[in-house]
Amino acid sequence: MRFRVRVPAATRVTVTVAAVTLALGGCSQTPGERLEEWYGSGGEAQIRKLNEDAGRVNEVSMRTIDVQGPACWDLLAQTAKAEKLDPIPDEGAQRYWKEALGGFRRGAAECADGAAKNEEGQVSRGIRAVQTEGLPKLVSTVTLIKAGLAAAK
């Protein structure tokens, strides 16, 4: 048996607006929860990989170009992946993150280009940029993220 119920248009609009409001606003997350979600859904892994690759560039800084070039290429590729992540939901951490990625991108690109040309001076400048522009900003990023995660608990 079927029953047909007529609902006035004004009531349908009110119910629809209420449902949309609940869907959008009813599940709001705290800043700490958003940060935890970003960190747990790829942020931590990207940070760890960037740190490894930048650390490798730092480690090979006194070696030959044939060793330095591949390390710089790896960092450049990892930086491109990290740049595709959603922004960090913490304004300060996001600012340092962008600066770290910019330093890694500039430094690794200069180093890789110099290695391809066999230009030691250019390779050294690129490595120095990774060391002075990228790594310190990554440390600041991690410090702010850890503080935000600790505050969320």
Side-chain angles (χ1 to χ4, degrees):
M1 183 179 287
R2 288 185 164 174
F3 292 98
R4 194 169 174 118
V5 177
R6 297 192 116 231
V7 178
T11 303
R12 280 183 274 172
V13 170
T14 302
V15 171
T16 303
V17 170
V20 170
T21 302
L22 284 173
L24 294 176
C27 299
S28 65
Q29 294 177 307
T30 66
E33 289 170 336
R34 286 192 301 274
L35 185 58
E36 284 176 349
E37 184 178 310
W38 181 89
Y39 194 67
S41 66
E44 178 183 22
Q46 272 309 339
I47 289 170
R48 185 171 285 122
K49 186 64 176 142
L50 270 175
N51 190 46
E52 289 170 9
D53 288 352
R56 188 166 144 238
V57 168
N58 188 45
E59 288 172 21
V60 302
S61 64
M62 301 304 285
R63 308 244 341 247
T64 57
I65 288 178
D66 63 316
V67 176
Q68 295 167 331
C72 292
W73 276 111
D74 289 347
L75 177 58
L76 193 58
Q78 192 58 43
T79 300
K81 289 179 186 176
E83 289 174 327
K84 293 178 183 173
L85 278 179
D86 288 339
I88 300 172
D90 176 285
E91 189 176 310
Q94 176 62 25
R95 186 179 67 249
Y96 281 119
W97 177 247
K98 283 185 72 171
E99 291 174 7
L101 294 177
F104 289 147
R105 186 180 352 89
R106 284 186 301 279
E110 183 166 6
C111 171
D113 184 56
K117 296 176 188 174
N118 205 28
E119 291 284 334
E120 288 184 25
Q122 186 177 356
V123 171
S124 292
R125 282 191 308 275
I127 289 173
R128 206 167 27 258
V130 168
Q131 294 168 330
T132 61
E133 296 174 30
L135 281 168
K137 299 298 183 178
L138 185 61
V139 169
S140 297
T141 302
V142 171
T143 299
L144 288 175
I145 289 172
K146 294 210 180 242
L149 293 173
K153 295 190 183 220

